[in-house]
């Protein structure tokens, strides 16, 4: 039973009045702080904790915020675009979701966002370089800045999301920057928890949705690239559970349970969506790179040259750390229909 599940029990008196009774299980001891939980477990409870989720407006972020809010944790949700955080507001009870505007280059705003928090999550990441931010700005300097300010502000826990393939020797600049980001985070926050998920699938993913819309770009490398897709809800569950675990320093690999080729994923998407297999040709890498470079000049995100590079890199063959975290990862075949049904023709 989780600590929150055993949280405040209400005792119903004969006159029908409910009172709260606290036990030792209701007291969650965090480094430097004792949080008193109250209320029945769930959205209207209070875990006594405050969390800040940088990158909450992204794909994974919304599920992490939802899971934390459901535990009764007050969640600070830093945002850049006013409209990007609206859906987060309803995930928690009144006053439990606290939106705050931030800029990744502003020490002051970062400090304001995290100074009251017991745990800080850094989910900030970008698959492609933009006009204003390169991979270094987002994954290295940005991560370092958040970790440094969290440490200076005395935040007890820091969770940083990297990538399963993060490596300084990778041909992909994205994976290189993720590896460098991990080093910088650990430099400033020694007991940081680093999480390395594989490619994630879910409603707003850039895996199943992208395969359904752009099968041609998943035929690169003769469809032989092998990846280990992981369900975003499993990753979000692990991230949320860190808030109630005593201490979790170290690096956790979170690959999916199966290693699948692009060929398998293309046929899975085709069978679930009832769309015939794509007849698009296999584009050579040099042509794909040239097209991706040209596409940098259009003003909406298209396949970037670094993403082309990544489509030729197999996911690393490392053991997952799921068992130690109490979560069993799901198979993609069990959930693909949920996320792909919308691509079936009427
Ligand atoms: N998706 C995957 O398959 C996958 C797999 C392994 C690891 N990861 C990592 O997991 C983390 C979350 O992934 P995700 O799929 O949720 O990413 P996402 O949907 O692209 O969301 C990224 C988040 O980072 C924020 N962000 C990006 N650039 C920023 C900048 N310059 N300044 C401030 N905020 C910025 C975005 O804010 P805005 O909304 O304001 O742009 C958004 O909240 C990332 O670090 C990613 O690299 C993802």
């Amino acid at each position: 039973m989780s600590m929150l599940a055993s949280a405040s029990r209400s005792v119903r008196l004969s006159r029908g009045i409910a009172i709260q009774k606290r036990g030792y299980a209701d007291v969650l001891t965090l480094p430097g702080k004792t949080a008193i939980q109250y209320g029945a477990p769930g959205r209207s409870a209070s875990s006594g904790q405050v969390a800040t989720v940088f990158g909450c407006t992204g794909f994974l972020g919304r599920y992490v915020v939802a899971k934390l809010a459901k535990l009764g944790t007050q969640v600070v949700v830093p945002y850049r675009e006013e409209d990007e955080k609206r859906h987060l507001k309803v995930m928690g009870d009144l006053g439990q979701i606290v939106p705050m505007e931030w800029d990744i280059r502003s020490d002051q705003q970062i400090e304001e966002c995290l100074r009251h928090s017991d745990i800080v999550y850094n989910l900030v990441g970008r698959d492609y370089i933009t006009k204003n931010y390169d991979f270094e700005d987002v994954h290295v300097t940005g991560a370092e800045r958040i970790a440094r300010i969290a440490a200076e502000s005395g935040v007890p826990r820091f969770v940083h999301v990297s990538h399963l393939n993060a490596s300084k020797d990778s041909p992909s600049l994205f994976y290189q920057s993720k590896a460098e980001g991990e080093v910088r985070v650990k430099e400033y926050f020694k007991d940081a928890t680093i999480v390395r998920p594989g490619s994630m699938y879910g409603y707003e993913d850039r895996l199943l949705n992208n395969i359904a819309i752009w099968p041609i770009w998943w035929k690169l490398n003769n469809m032989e690239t092998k990846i280990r897709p992981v369900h975003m809800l499993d990753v979000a569950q692990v991230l949320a559970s860190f808030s109630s675990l005593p201490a979790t320093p170290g690096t956790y690999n979170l690959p999916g349970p199966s290693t699948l080729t692009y060929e398998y994923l293309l046929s899975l998407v085709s069978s679930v969506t009832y769309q015939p297999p794509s007849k698009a040709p296999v584009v050579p890498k040099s042509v794909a790179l040239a097209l991706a470079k040209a596409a940098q000049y259009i003003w909406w995100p298209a396949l970037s040259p670094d993403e082309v590079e990544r489509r030729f890199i197999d996911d690393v063959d490392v053991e997952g750390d799921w068992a130690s975290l109490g979560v069993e990862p799901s198979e993609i075949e069990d959930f693909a229909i949920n996320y792909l049904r919308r691509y079936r023709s009427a």
Side-chain angles (χ1 to χ4, degrees):
M1 189 174 21
S2 76
M3 294 182 90
L4 282 171
S6 70
S8 308
R9 291 159 291 282
S10 44
V11 177
R12 200 156 283 282
L13 300 178
S14 53
R15 279 174 300 172
I17 305 163
I19 60 164
Q20 300 289 327
K21 245 192 146 183
R22 287 194 188 120
Y24 284 125
D26 303 331
V27 180
L28 181 69
T29 311
L30 300 161
K33 185 185 170 192
T34 301
I36 309 289
Q37 306 168 15
Y38 62 88
R43 190 175 183 271
S44 298
S46 173
S47 69
Q49 284 200 62
V50 182
T52 303
V53 183
F54 291 100
C56 57
T57 49
F59 162 46
L60 177 63
R62 67 174 65 202
Y63 298 100
V64 175
V65 173
K67 283 188 183 285
L68 288 169
K70 207 170 166 187
L71 293 171
T73 296
Q74 190 175 45
V75 193
V76 178
V77 290
Y79 67 93
R80 295 193 292 175
E81 276 287 323
E82 188 68 28
D83 281 348
E84 293 297 322
K85 47 87 170 142
R86 287 172 59 151
H87 59 287
L88 302 173
K89 189 80 184 165
V90 288
M91 289 179 177
D93 215 340
L94 203 60
Q96 288 293 88
I97 306 291
V98 185
M100 292 185 76
E101 199 171 351
W102 83 301
D103 184 312
I104 200 168
R105 292 186 172 124
S106 162
D107 283 26
Q108 191 198 333
Q109 283 179 331
I110 294 174
E111 199 266 332
E112 283 168 4
C113 287
L114 58 69
R115 65 177 158 207
H116 298 296
S117 290
D118 304 298
I119 184 162
V120 169
Y121 292 89
N122 178 24
L123 275 51
V124 176
R126 189 90 316 157
D127 277 352
Y128 47 85
I129 291 168
T130 61
K131 176 163 70 108
N132 296 320
Y133 299 96
D134 61 18
F135 290 136
E136 169 102 8
D137 296 330
V138 179
H139 303 142
V140 184
T141 328
E144 176 192 300
R145 186 173 291 122
I146 299 171
R148 172 177 55 77
I149 297 171
E152 286 168 2
S153 309
V155 172
R157 307 280 299 279
F158 189 79
V159 180
H160 174 74
V161 179
S162 181
H163 194 287
L164 184 64
N165 296 337
S167 163
K168 281 191 175 167
D169 305 322
S170 174
S172 153
L173 292 175
F174 175 90
Y175 292 147
Q176 284 178 28
S177 65
K178 281 289 192 184
E180 181 60 24
E182 289 183 9
V183 174
R184 300 283 188 94
V185 163
K186 277 191 271 187
E187 210 171 285
Y188 286 93
F189 210 109
K190 287 192 176 40
D191 287 341
T193 305
I194 312 262
V195 178
R196 291 174 158 189
S199 298
M200 289 184 277
Y201 59 88
Y203 277 113
E204 306 84 2
D205 71 16
R206 291 179 295 280
L207 182 66
L208 294 176
N209 286 301
N210 205 279
I211 295 176
I213 299 169
W214 293 105
I216 184 170
W217 298 122
W218 296 86
K219 289 192 161 189
L220 294 173
N221 198 20
N222 265 328
M223 300 173 279
E224 285 167 5
T225 306
K226 298 189 198 80
I227 59 167
R228 305 170 76 187
V230 57
H231 196 194
M232 56 47 185
L233 283 180
D234 294 334
V235 177
Q237 181 59 42
V238 165
L239 293 177
S241 69
F242 285 134
S243 69
S244 42
L245 293 173
T248 49
T251 303
Y252 297 84
N253 290 306
L254 301 181
S258 303
T259 303
L260 309 170
T261 58
Y262 283 173
E263 186 174 17
Y264 180 87
L265 290 168
L266 278 159
S267 69
L268 175 73
V269 171
S270 155
S271 64
V272 174
T273 55
Y274 295 157
Q275 302 292 338
S278 161
K279 291 199 178 71
V282 176
V283 180
K285 188 175 180 182
S286 53
V287 176
L289 279 172
L291 288 171
K293 273 184 197 143
Q296 300 309 290
Y297 296 101
I298 55 177
W299 52 91
W300 61 87
L303 189 73
S304 70
D306 197 75
E307 280 171 297
V308 171
E309 199 62 66
R310 274 176 264 158
R311 299 267 161 101
F312 287 78
I313 302 173
D314 289 343
D315 277 359
V316 291
D317 186 15
V318 287
E319 190 87 23
D321 293 305
W322 297 99
S324 63
L325 298 165
V327 176
E328 196 182 330
S330 328
E331 295 286 355
I332 195 168
E333 292 85 347
D334 297 336
F335 287 90
I337 181 67
N338 297 349
Y339 309 130
L340 290 170
R341 196 191 301 273
R342 60 187 140 170
Y343 294 103
R344 288 183 176 181
S345 75

